[in-house]
Amino acid sequence: MFRSSLLRPALTALTSATAIVGGVFLVQNNPASCNKDKHKFLYSWGSNCFGQLGLGGEKNQISPQLIEHLEHQSATSVFARDNNSATIVNNKVWTFGSGAHGILGHGNSMDQPNQSAPRVVKLNKDATSVAVGTFHMLALTAGGKVFSWGRNNAGQLGFEMSGSHGEPQAVDIKEDVIALAAGRQHSLALTKQGQVYSFGNGRDGQLGNGDKTTRKTPTLINELKDVISIACGRDSSFALTKEGKLYSWGRDDYGQLAQGRSQRFTTRPRLVESLNNEKIASIAFGEYHGVAVTDDGRIFSWGKNASGQCGNGTTNNVSQPIQIEALEGIVIKSAACGNAHTAAITVDNELWKWGSGRSGELGRGSAVESNAAYRATPLKVKFVGDQKVVQIALGNEHCVAIIE
């Protein structure tokens, strides 16, 4: 790859070990202290067995590393799930990671090679957002249109034709779409009017239509109105309304619906009553656990907690949302969930991580957890200098972040 010391900012990959200062793990290098133009760089760390870190190899990384392939281009947003990652740079979708079932969108073959460096998807439209599922992806264009690619065994791509599709295909939704979400075999689309469409596998009630029917084309969820945000777990779904109320539906093995595990399957959207007195500003969901951030910056968690991903100091599953006490007094503005790890970004753009760390996904450098270890309370990952974490996305055991 072409390298130029004139173009390269005072930003180096974080290859040195971390140090512990006052209980905080500090990344020793100073990647952006001289960055005056607020260029947004991509960093990644954790498991890299499929190239999902985008670093050009498949070696795990125990501390954040600069994705050099895109270092001279400013990233807008990042997305991840399972063993895949995506980013939007210059209104184009770039993907990297596992190539199974055409999920990377780089061709028509059923199983594409793993992609260890970011590669652009030939969408031919300006993109604003991406949703990454287990074996499929969806992209939202600037004009409010939806495209999908990857595996379509259950209709999760939003059209009838089954099989795997390695190139973007248009999804027929008549209204303008403003947000997307994807689970293992289902998808959600949020329209400008605040309505939600679902499609894909419905056997666990995750489509929210009152039954367990699989639907291969987008179907309106009639019960939902005035929705501003959506999220998908593995086989569960969530919607946040403009009044700050959270609804959930689908499968509930570990308490991931935040309904107290009153029933294993919920086939229609149901209000999360335990948060009814809170005004929720944003939500995030991993495979089996979720978090909600309130309008005053508090964070609640629930669901599977075997690796401490709920951040409450235990490994007991949580069926009702509880506030993360370790972050009380710290104003959180956004959060993200992976398979068994969680991240939160403060109003000062500081990063906190907790949960599983066996592949380095907590970003602790030489202090990486053993295969059996975890961190059940939040840990601040501090970058030396003035660089800020703008956004983060979590996969199975990896992280991709935008830092400026």
Side-chain angles (χ1 to χ4, degrees):
M1 183 180 69
F2 175 74
R3 301 293 296 274
S4 168
S5 60
L6 294 177
L7 292 175
R8 183 178 176 85
L11 182 69
T12 56
L14 306 180
T15 55
S16 59
T18 58
I20 304 176
V21 179
V24 175
F25 289 83
L26 278 70
V27 178
Q28 299 285 42
N29 288 340
N30 182 8
S33 61
C34 296
N35 179 26
K36 304 300 183 183
D37 60 356
K38 298 299 182 183
H39 184 92
K40 292 179 173 59
F41 295 91
L42 284 174
Y43 277 75
S44 61
W45 62 97
S47 175
N48 196 30
C49 53
F50 296 94
Q52 60 265 46
L53 298 187
L55 301 173
E58 295 185 354
K59 180 182 177 181
N60 291 359
Q61 299 294 333
I62 58 177
S63 59
Q65 306 290 319
L66 173 67
I67 300 180
E68 296 182 350
H69 189 84
L70 293 173
E71 68 173 307
H72 300 307
Q73 302 183 69
S74 189
T76 304
S77 50
V78 289
F79 315 88
R81 194 182 191 97
D82 212 77
N83 298 312
N84 294 96
S85 307
T87 183
I88 294 180
V89 177
N90 295 328
N91 301 316
K92 302 300 180 185
V93 178
W94 299 70
T95 59
F96 41 104
S98 171
H101 301 284
I103 187 174
L104 298 180
H106 298 155
N108 275 319
S109 61
M110 178 176 291
D111 290 312
Q112 302 161 8
N114 294 341
Q115 184 70 35
S116 62
R119 180 179 171 186
V120 71
V121 176
K122 294 181 179 179
L123 185 58
N124 298 321
K125 301 281 185 180
D126 286 348
T128 60
S129 183
V130 176
V132 183
T134 302
F135 292 114
H136 73 292
M137 292 192 193
L138 304 100
L140 179 63
T141 72
K145 303 302 180 184
V146 179
F147 289 80
S148 63
W149 59 91
R151 193 177 188 185
N152 197 36
N153 60 312
Q156 59 265 47
L157 296 189
F159 49 81
E160 293 283 350
M161 189 166 46
S162 61
S164 295
H165 302 267
E167 294 181 346
Q169 309 289 320
V171 180
D172 186 15
I173 300 177
K174 302 303 182 183
E175 301 178 56
D176 288 342
V177 174
I178 60 172
L180 299 167
R184 180 174 62 123
Q185 293 180 340
H186 78 291
S187 306
L188 300 177
L190 172 63
T191 72
K192 189 176 181 180
Q193 292 73 29
Q195 297 180 305
V196 179
Y197 286 81
S198 62
F199 43 101
N201 194 332
R203 66 184 179 187
D204 294 321
Q206 62 265 53
L207 298 188
N209 300 119
D211 55 34
K212 296 184 178 181
T213 302
T214 291
R215 290 172 170 84
K216 295 187 176 182
T217 56
T219 303
L220 180 66
I221 302 177
N222 292 312
E223 285 83 355
L224 292 173
K225 308 292 182 184
D226 299 324
V227 175
I228 60 170
S229 182
I230 51 177
C232 289
R234 179 180 172 91
D235 302 303
S236 54
S237 303
F238 301 83
L240 177 65
T241 70
K242 67 179 182 181
E243 291 82 16
K245 305 304 179 185
L246 180 62
Y247 291 80
S248 66
W249 62 98
R251 193 181 183 109
D252 196 19
D253 290 317
Y254 304 99
Q256 62 262 43
L257 294 189
Q259 302 284 1
R261 291 196 66 194
S262 58
Q263 55 193 60
R264 188 177 182 187
F265 303 102
T266 298
T267 61
R268 295 186 185 277
R270 181 180 174 188
L271 178 67
V272 177
E273 294 184 0
S274 58
L275 290 175
N276 202 32
N277 293 326
E278 305 287 347
K279 185 169 184 180
I280 306 302
S282 65
I283 55 175
F285 214 86
E287 292 294 284
Y288 299 110
H289 80 289
V291 294
V293 178
T294 65
D295 63 346
D296 59 358
R298 291 173 295 128
I299 183 170
F300 291 77
S301 64
W302 65 90
K304 189 174 182 179
N305 196 32
S307 297
Q309 58 262 50
C310 288
N312 63 358
T314 76
T315 55
N316 300 321
N317 294 339
V318 181
S319 62
Q320 297 275 12
I322 56 172
Q323 185 176 347
I324 300 178
E325 294 183 357
L327 293 175
E328 189 171 0
I330 298 172
V331 182
I332 303 300
K333 72 173 182 179
S334 64
C337 297
N339 182 21
H341 57 124
T342 314
I345 299 175
T346 71
V347 291
D348 296 320
N349 294 102
E350 296 174 333
L351 176 64
W352 293 75
K353 287 292 310 289
W354 61 95
S356 173
R358 64 181 183 176
S359 295
E361 58 264 48
L362 296 187
R364 295 181 60 191
S366 59
V368 64
E369 282 70 14
S370 70
N371 285 342
Y374 55 86
R375 175 164 289 276
T377 55
L379 174 76
K380 185 178 179 181
V381 180
K382 184 175 181 181
F383 295 85
V384 176
D386 62 354
Q387 60 270 47
K388 305 293 186 181
V389 180
V390 178
Q391 186 196 350
I392 191 167
L394 309 185
N396 186 17
E397 294 181 350
H398 79 285
C399 310
V400 184
I402 296 178
I403 298 175
E404 65 178 20

